[in-house]
Amino acid sequence: MTFLTLTNIQKSFGAVKVVHDFNMSINKGEFVSFLGPSGCGKTTILRMVAGFEDPTGGTIVIDDKDQSRLKSNQRNIGMVFQAYALFPNMNVFDNVAFGLKVAGKPKDEIHARVMEMLKLIHLEHLADRYPYQMSGGQQQRVALARALAPKPQVLLLDEPLSALDAKIRVSLREEIRQIQRQLGITTIFVTHDQEEALSISDRVVVMNAGRADQIGTPFEIYNRPATRFVASFVGTLNLIEAKVVDPQSRTVAIGDLSVALKEEIKLPAGSTVQLAMRPEAGSIIDGAKGDTTLVGQVLSSHFLGSVIRTRIDVAGNTVSFDMFNDPSITPPAIGDTVSLKIDSADLLILQA
Ligand SMILES: Nc1ncnc2c1ncn2[C@@H]1O[C@H](COP(=O)(O)OP(=O)(O)OP(=O)(O)O)[C@@H](O)[C@H]1O
Ligand SMILES: [Mg+2]
């Protein structure tokens, strides 16, 4: 069931258009990530949903109600920002109570709700602490509790983890996702970290220069990237240059090697195309499956524990591939000539 609909949302600052015709419907309880490079318009869209910024065009509907012209205090949105935005002069309790006080809730109701929220984020014991007495991760959990306390219709999280160190980020993103599921709250999470977006989202919006290049499940985004930008922004990607030999039979040449692709080739013979291949697509172990063999020289090989990451030179292209560790194999050595078995379906033609 659609809960939040953005229709033809646009935003210009002066003559500069930073959001172009953005369209999206988000279901009730859904967790959607906006993923994209710096400056692509993620925060601007969130600020429009929150009512901090007026769209230049388009409509924002939440629960069948057009909110496009409402001020931020007339909307019921919870927001958590990248930098710790707690009130420094208030303790944890008062920070979480803030929105409820502004709404004029009775004292005992505020107390019960704040304690419920602190329990949710496992910080009941720190109600009297001030922000400067807490770690960054604890502060962001309080910011989350503060945003959730007034029971918002929609939760907006703008890179809430980016100031934290890697380990805390992973545990806190799981915690945010678990709380979001528990409450069933419709959520937009902004990040430029692709692993973060893939790991916790129902759907991901990959944004590129003020537009949504692709909207899909993490599985779809990763395995069937709609554009070249999506393919290269999400996950590690090999780009292999090839020449079209015969569009009819879908044959291309990678150096001297002729490869029959699964995908239709819409370009004439002689054209240069870029093929995309994920690092996990190939294997060099004896008897590996695959209808295509790429031969190349090993440039480097790194044993990372559970995976072995190897780069090989295939007709002038550097191709990375990962394979799972297996004590029975001999890891490739620099300079070795290896045969990389792949499935031709894993070679995608990238649309420019
Ligand atoms: N108030 C403003 N006035 C003028 N330009 C603005 C304003 N706010 C944002 N912009 C511009 O709009 C574009 C999008 O900015 P936005 O903050 O939405 O990017 P973002 O995707 O959130 O980036 P980041 O990942 O760095 O936070 C940028 O080019 C930015 O400079
Ligand atoms: Mg931003």
Side-chain angles (χ1 to χ4, degrees), residues 42-44 82 158-159 190:
K42 305 179 297 293
T43 296
T44 303
Q82 168 174 353
D158 192 358
E159 308 215 29
V190 165

Side-chain angles (χ1 to χ4, degrees), residues 13 18 36-45 53 82 159 192:
F13 291 107
V18 300
S38 188
C40 71
K42 305 179 297 293
T43 296
T44 303
I45 295 178
E53 208 78 72
Q82 168 174 353
E159 308 215 29
H192 53 248

Side-chain angles (χ1 to χ4, degrees), residues 45-292:
I45 295 178
L46 279 206
R47 288 175 56 80
M48 289 191 279
V49 175
F52 298 135
E53 208 78 72
D54 288 327
T56 311
T59 54
I60 297 166
V61 173
I62 301 176
D63 202 12
D64 291 331
K65 192 168 162 221
D66 188 340
Q67 315 230 340
S68 318
R69 303 287 159 252
L70 297 184
K71 301 233 174 332
S72 63
N73 60 6
Q74 297 168 308
R75 302 187 195 189
N76 186 11
I77 307 277
M79 192 151 176
V80 176
F81 303 90
Q82 168 174 353
Y84 316 129
L86 296 178
F87 304 115
N89 56 333
M90 289 183 198
N91 67 17
V92 166
F93 185 97
D94 291 335
N95 263 286
V96 177
F98 183 80
L100 302 166
K101 281 185 185 157
V102 170
K105 299 284 181 205
K107 216 169 170 183
D108 47 346
E109 189 184 321
I110 292 178
H111 188 270
R113 181 69 180 161
V114 172
M115 292 321 286
E116 185 189 349
M117 288 297 101
L118 292 183
K119 203 162 168 214
L120 191 68
I121 57 162
H122 308 293
L123 290 181
E124 311 95 294
H125 57 295
L126 298 185
D128 297 329
R129 289 265 184 103
Y130 283 83
Y132 75 90
Q133 298 170 313
M134 291 187 301
S135 71
Q138 289 169 333
Q139 289 184 49
Q140 283 306 66
R141 276 148 76 194
V142 175
L144 178 67
R146 186 179 63 178
L148 290 170
K151 302 188 179 166
Q153 287 180 294
V154 174
L155 178 64
L156 305 177
L157 306 167
D158 192 358
E159 308 215 29
L161 307 175
S162 60
L164 306 174
D165 70 54
K167 230 182 180 141
I168 306 277
R169 283 170 75 136
V170 172
S171 68
L172 198 49
R173 80 184 185 211
E174 305 294 339
E175 192 175 336
I176 288 175
R177 178 57 158 146
Q178 187 251 318
I179 289 172
Q180 181 273 338
R181 274 214 177 96
Q182 196 177 329
L183 302 178
I185 185 165
T186 310
T187 300
I188 303 177
F189 179 93
V190 165
T191 180
H192 53 248
D193 180 328
Q194 41 110 359
E195 186 200 297
E196 208 162 88
L198 294 178
S199 69
I200 57 173
S201 312
D202 291 314
R203 280 189 299 161
V204 177
V205 180
V206 184
M207 291 192 54
N208 178 16
R211 290 192 167 81
D213 257 30
Q214 189 172 5
I215 300 177
T217 64
F219 190 86
E220 286 163 353
I221 296 277
Y222 187 86
N223 290 311
R224 291 193 293 281
T227 66
R228 185 174 181 146
F229 175 82
V230 175
S232 51
F233 193 76
V234 181
T236 308
L237 188 80
N238 291 300
L239 288 180
I240 303 171
E241 195 172 288
K243 274 230 153 31
V244 177
V245 175
D246 175 26
Q248 204 86 53
S249 62
R250 302 182 178 183
T251 315
V252 298
I254 301 171
D256 301 333
L257 181 79
S258 165
V259 176
L261 300 178
K262 290 276 181 324
E263 220 183 327
E264 192 185 341
I265 302 175
K266 290 173 185 147
L267 294 164
S271 316
T272 300
V273 290
Q274 298 285 334
L275 304 177
M277 191 188 97
R278 295 289 185 196
E280 66 275 22
S283 179
I284 57 162
I285 58 167
D286 288 338
K289 280 202 214 140
D291 57 16
T292 301

